[in-house]
Amino acid sequence: MSTGTEEASQVLRDTPSMPRRGFAPFAFVLLVVLGIWIISGVSAGDIAKFAGYEVGFVLLPGTALLWALRRSRRGVLTTIALGWPLGQTLEILAFSATAAFGARSLFVVYPIVVIIPCAYLIWRRGGAPARDTPGDEMSSRLMWTAAVALSVGVVYLALAFLPQVPLPSTSHSVSYYVDFPNFIGLIAEVRNHWPATSPGLSGVPLHYEWFVFDHMAAINQVTGVSIPVIGFRLDVFPTILVLGCQLFVVGRFLGRSARTGALAIIVAFLLGALDLTADLNQQSPFFDQFNFHLWGSWTFPFGLMFFMALIYLIAERLQAASWRGIDALGAWMVIALIMVGASGAKATVLPVVIIGVGLYAVWEFVARRAIPVTALATLVLAVVIFAATFLIVYGRGVPGTGIDPFVSLSHTVTGTVASSISSSTLRTVALPLAYAAGLAGIVLPLAGILYLLTPRHRAEIRRLRLCLFLFAAGVLITNVVHQVGASELYFLDTAYAAGVIVAAAGLRLAWDDLGSAIPVSKRTALLALAGWICLILLVIGFTTPTLAHPAGLLLRYTAIAVLAVIFVVVCALGLRARRKPIAGAMALGLLPLLATSALTSPIQLAATVERALTGKSVTVTQPDPQKVRGLTPGLVVALTWLQDNTPVNTIFAVSNHWINPSGSDGRYYYYSAFSERRVFVEPYTPDDYGLDNPPLTPGFVAFLGRVMLNDEVFDHADVSALRVLTDQYGVRYLLIDRLHHNADPAVLQLGRIVLTNPDATIVAVG
């Protein structure tokens, strides 16, 4: 007995702990998030229930299994970076299994089922020494730098996201970015039905990236916190904090420096693609923005969390002495589980891993003349898991995917201008240059990669080679494949996170070289960076009248580029005049690039901040239903009535399908989202259901049949059409949206009116 007690005590002593100097920065970041939640109207009770769920159902099970499978334990940050996505996988698998077997109530015991066996295994095995992530010591100043940078990034995210998502109100109208009601509807669908189908096309399968919606539905099931509060307020911030933690850990591990980790947070969250134009409601001149997708696509940051964990784990395996053994087996099991979570979270993750690791394997074989067994084992595992999820989760295909090179780059401002050149010969010459410039504008924050190409630091690339190949894989896939809605951009944005690590390593080396290889002091460099920020703001002021067309916008960026070249030339001439080496002068070109990318988010968020400072409403709403069709108070009442007074399997039909009065954008998802019930046919956009158009597939023909029946009922009060809706499709209610698309008055005679107000009427027909 005494031996067991001693072993248990040893486990506790070896448990990774955070240095005392790390508690204050850690608490500071949490307080920032807590303040955002409170200011945005989340109740203390909801915050407490949500936080308890995240710890009990995600962090603790993930940490327990991580320690059980990996025979050594690293520090707190590494544990969070790896244990959190592992816990998300366990949570989603448990939620899905209990829902599939019709035993949702058993989900509450899943943490116990995981934690107790893992704790017993750890205790029986005895305490393994805790090891920190390789890298230099983390000073208090460095940890505060990382904490402040992450906190500012979180504030940026809050200012960008929260004004777009006011909570549903019975006092004023609100409108949302078109995807957000769709996401809320998907959460409700997972919460109430298994298997989940399309909430806006009742009974039709929908193959999609369901895992993040499974996660939010699980939170709602356990805590009772409303789905809009979870989706619009709570869930995004823990994911961002975990991503910040992962950037720090991966940067420190691969860059062999905690400063690389801190810089990775800065590059990812505080620097943005080239966009010095307007607020965030305007389309980016370079079409893609990593920062926008962090809040604009709920699947993206969720999938990125798994991707960052995979970078760490795969790099760790590639550096290991052998791919086999007891220790390796546990590591491979962790990788496999996180790959499962990654593939269901975001479809772009595993393709980037497969292509990136494949490029790494080819390079190793050619350069070292040896078979890269570990890389090949990783490839086999990734391909098998991707193939399985491709069949199970994505239904053996992604509609609208094809080979169409450089489509995304053709939408950048440089691509647009080059495409408009009338001379075919000149256009042929200009397009490749325009595409290269467009890609440079998108990945501008990764300019630090350039410094690693200098002869002095090429050896540093070896440790970062995996990240470089992953980044190259994303660029390659994005510029070969095209998907509906330009979704190929997510391949680039996924791989962008790997590029962030390399860029941070380059910036850290550049900082270290200031005063030596770069003959400028650190203080002078900081002053020059501040000067560049001021200069760019002046350029923006002088070129504002030129922004009426893409060519005028391009003038702004050309002016900044020319000034940057002049700056480097002048610096080189000055150094030569002082008889100092000019080799490092080129590195000073990073200063205008960093200054430009650092201004992207502040400029985009300036309109929101201005509204707050002048006392105007920060929430961007369009209350006039004749301009933007959003969620009106009366409609909220009607949808809430359906949620409170009908069974979860209820199906209803709706009179409106358009988010604009002209009837050209059929993506109105509000009805299924805020009623949490299925709709007979909601949006009139077949692509949203994965239906090909053209050709006329059976699924598309069936969709057109539903559209015709729906129109016959609401526009002509057709009794026979209504009979088809009720008898064949199970429709039990008709919802007439009186503001957005009223119905034939005779529709009111088709059934019994159960609710009516100036905005909506509900007629029971079944």
Side-chain angles (χ1 to χ4, degrees):
M1 244 349 242
S2 60
T3 301
T5 303
E6 290 173 1
E7 288 178 348
S9 300
Q10 182 65 35
V11 170
L12 292 175
R13 285 195 297 270
D14 290 336
T15 298
S17 60
M18 180 178 293
R20 289 183 180 180
R21 62 181 179 274
F23 280 113
F26 185 78
F28 175 78
V29 177
L30 293 182
L31 286 174
V32 169
V33 173
L34 182 62
I36 291 171
W37 281 336
I38 293 173
I39 292 172
S40 62
V42 184
S43 70
D46 283 351
I47 293 172
K49 288 185 283 188
F50 175 79
Y53 177 92
E54 293 284 79
V55 172
F57 284 75
V58 177
L59 180 59
L60 292 182
T63 299
L65 186 60
L66 181 71
W67 288 354
L69 293 178
R70 289 166 60 92
R71 299 179 68 85
S72 63
R73 298 185 298 279
R74 297 195 185 277
V76 171
L77 294 180
T78 306
T79 298
I80 294 173
L82 304 180
W84 198 284
L86 185 59
Q88 297 273 207
T89 302
L90 297 175
E91 170 215 26
I92 291 164
L93 293 178
F95 176 79
S96 301
T98 54
F101 285 104
R104 289 177 182 262
S105 60
L106 293 180
F107 177 67
V108 296
V109 303
Y110 126 76
I112 300 173
V113 172
V114 173
I115 293 172
I116 290 180
C118 289
Y120 178 75
L121 178 60
I122 296 169
W123 175 76
R124 289 287 297 172
R125 190 170 60 207
R131 296 183 290 123
D132 203 357
T133 301
D136 54 10
E137 280 296 317
M138 294 187 292
S139 66
S140 178
R141 177 182 296 180
L142 183 65
M143 285 187 287
W144 271 109
T145 299
V148 171
L150 182 56
S151 298
V152 174
V154 167
V155 171
Y156 279 177
L157 178 75
L159 288 172
F161 177 56
L162 295 182
Q164 310 293 323
V165 286
L167 293 173
S169 172
T170 56
S171 61
H172 59 271
S173 298
V174 298
S175 61
Y176 301 109
Y177 174 64
V178 65
D179 284 345
F180 293 160
N182 183 32
F183 295 157
I184 295 295
L186 294 176
I187 299 168
E189 172 66 16
V190 174
R191 173 65 180 89
N192 295 316
H193 303 100
W194 191 270
T197 61
S198 172
L201 198 63
S202 59
V204 175
L206 178 62
H207 301 291
Y208 195 59
E209 299 152 331
W210 283 102
F211 279 14
V212 69
F213 308 116
D214 291 338
H215 164 62
M216 294 190 201
I219 298 172
N220 171 260
Q221 178 177 302
V222 172
T223 67
V225 177
S226 74
I227 289 174
V229 170
I230 294 169
F232 289 161
R233 292 292 181 271
L234 292 170
D235 192 66
V236 64
F237 295 105
T239 302
I240 297 302
L241 295 187
V242 173
L243 281 174
C245 177
Q246 291 174 323
L247 287 165
F248 188 91
V249 168
V250 175
R252 188 183 183 211
F253 176 43
L254 295 180
R256 291 296 191 270
S257 171
R259 289 176 296 158
T260 302
L263 284 168
I265 294 174
I266 293 173
V267 173
F269 296 125
L270 304 189
L271 304 185
L274 184 55
D275 186 1
L276 306 175
T277 54
D279 65 37
L280 53 85
N281 292 309
Q282 304 295 320
Q283 180 175 315
S284 168
F286 286 89
F287 196 58
D288 180 40
Q289 285 199 354
F290 173 86
N291 307 74
F292 165 73
H293 285 150
L294 286 176
W295 60 269
S297 169
W298 297 359
T299 58
F300 174 65
F302 195 70
L304 201 62
M305 177 177 56
F306 293 94
F307 180 68
M308 293 303 301
L310 287 174
I311 292 177
Y312 184 99
L313 293 166
I314 294 171
E316 187 180 55
R317 285 293 88 214
L318 292 174
Q319 296 177 14
S322 173
W323 69 280
R324 295 180 294 183
I326 296 297
D327 290 346
L329 178 61
W332 286 116
M333 291 176 67
V334 173
I335 290 174
L337 283 169
I338 292 182
M339 282 184 174
V340 169
S343 193
K346 193 67 181 175
T348 58
V349 174
L350 286 193
V352 170
V353 170
I354 291 169
I355 300 298
V357 174
L359 293 173
Y360 179 94
V362 170
W363 178 273
E364 288 292 296
F365 179 75
V366 172
R368 300 174 59 186
R369 304 295 181 183
I371 298 176
V373 179
T374 302
L376 294 177
T378 304
L379 270 178
V380 170
L381 185 61
V383 169
V384 169
I385 291 174
F386 177 71
T389 52
F390 191 71
L391 294 173
I392 298 170
V393 179
Y394 300 109
R396 297 174 294 180
V398 180
T401 300
I403 304 298
D404 196 352
F406 306 115
V407 171
S408 299
L409 294 180
S410 68
H411 291 291
T412 62
V413 63
T414 53
T416 301
V417 171
S419 298
S420 65
I421 296 175
S422 57
S423 170
S424 60
T425 302
L426 186 58
R427 184 170 61 252
T428 302
V429 174
L431 274 175
L433 299 176
Y435 290 160
L439 179 61
I442 294 171
V443 300
L444 181 67
L446 307 185
I449 294 176
L450 299 175
Y451 194 71
L452 288 173
L453 302 180
T454 60
R456 179 183 176 87
H457 294 299
R458 284 176 186 168
E460 301 284 343
I461 295 179
R462 176 169 298 180
R463 291 197 300 268
L464 301 163
R465 192 171 293 154
L466 174 64
C467 287
L468 279 172
F469 283 126
L470 291 170
F471 177 62
V475 174
L476 177 65
I477 298 171
T478 300
N479 290 294
V480 171
V481 174
H482 177 56
Q483 296 180 319
V484 173
S487 293
E488 71 273 7
L489 289 171
Y490 289 111
F491 290 105
L492 176 59
D493 287 344
T494 298
Y496 180 96
V500 165
I501 303 300
V502 187
L507 293 178
R508 193 259 304 174
L509 293 171
W511 178 260
D512 290 345
D513 286 347
L514 285 169
S516 55
I518 303 176
V520 173
S521 69
K522 292 179 172 62
R523 180 180 179 182
T524 302
L526 291 175
L527 290 174
L529 180 64
W532 264 105
I533 290 175
C534 295
L535 180 61
I536 292 170
L537 291 175
L538 288 175
V539 170
I540 292 172
F542 280 114
T543 58
T544 296
T546 70
L547 301 183
H549 49 82
L553 177 59
L554 197 57
L555 176 63
R556 169 177 292 180
Y557 299 124
T558 302
I560 294 172
V562 170
L563 290 173
V565 172
I566 293 173
F567 170 74
V568 173
V569 171
V570 170
C571 289
L573 293 175
L575 292 172
R576 173 170 290 182
R578 296 165 57 190
R579 298 185 178 182
K580 291 188 176 183
I582 64 171
M586 289 297 296
L588 298 177
L590 290 174
L591 293 174
L593 299 181
L594 293 174
T596 304
S597 58
L599 283 171
T600 294
S601 292
I603 289 175
Q604 289 181 331
L605 296 170
T608 299
V609 175
E610 181 183 3
R611 285 193 292 269
L613 293 177
T614 56
K616 298 179 182 178
S617 174
V618 175
T619 300
V620 181
T621 60
Q622 297 285 350
D624 185 353
Q626 300 306 316
K627 295 180 179 178
V628 175
R629 295 182 172 181
L631 191 64
T632 63
L635 194 54
V636 171
V637 171
L639 297 176
T640 302
W641 185 93
L642 285 169
Q643 186 179 150
D644 294 340
N645 295 278
T646 64
V648 294
N649 291 322
T650 296
I651 299 171
F652 66 103
V654 298
S655 64
N656 174 57
H657 315 273
W658 311 96
I659 63 174
N660 57 342
S662 62
S664 59
D665 193 342
R667 295 181 294 170
Y668 194 97
Y669 299 104
Y670 291 79
Y671 305 116
S672 60
F674 297 102
S675 68
E676 298 187 18
R677 300 295 181 265
R678 288 171 170 169
V679 178
F680 170 61
V681 56
E682 190 173 24
Y684 272 9
T685 305
D687 288 343
D688 294 338
Y689 308 115
L691 303 174
D692 294 330
N693 176 31
L696 291 178
T697 61
F700 183 65
V701 171
F703 166 76
L704 292 179
R706 289 201 187 201
V707 169
M708 181 186 68
L709 287 169
N710 201 86
D711 288 346
E712 287 297 315
V713 169
F714 285 100
D715 294 343
H716 306 291
D718 189 288
V719 176
S720 60
L722 177 63
R723 187 174 300 114
V724 175
L725 262 65
T726 57
D727 295 348
Q728 294 187 21
Y729 294 98
V731 173
R732 293 294 174 263
Y733 295 91
L734 305 179
L735 188 148
I736 302 170
D737 191 329
R738 301 175 65 182
L739 289 179
H740 299 143
H741 188 104
N742 212 335
D744 187 318
V747 173
L748 301 177
Q749 309 303 318
L750 297 178
R752 176 172 55 90
I753 297 175
V754 294
L755 180 144
T756 187
N757 62 45
D759 296 353
T761 298
I762 299 177
V763 180
V765 294

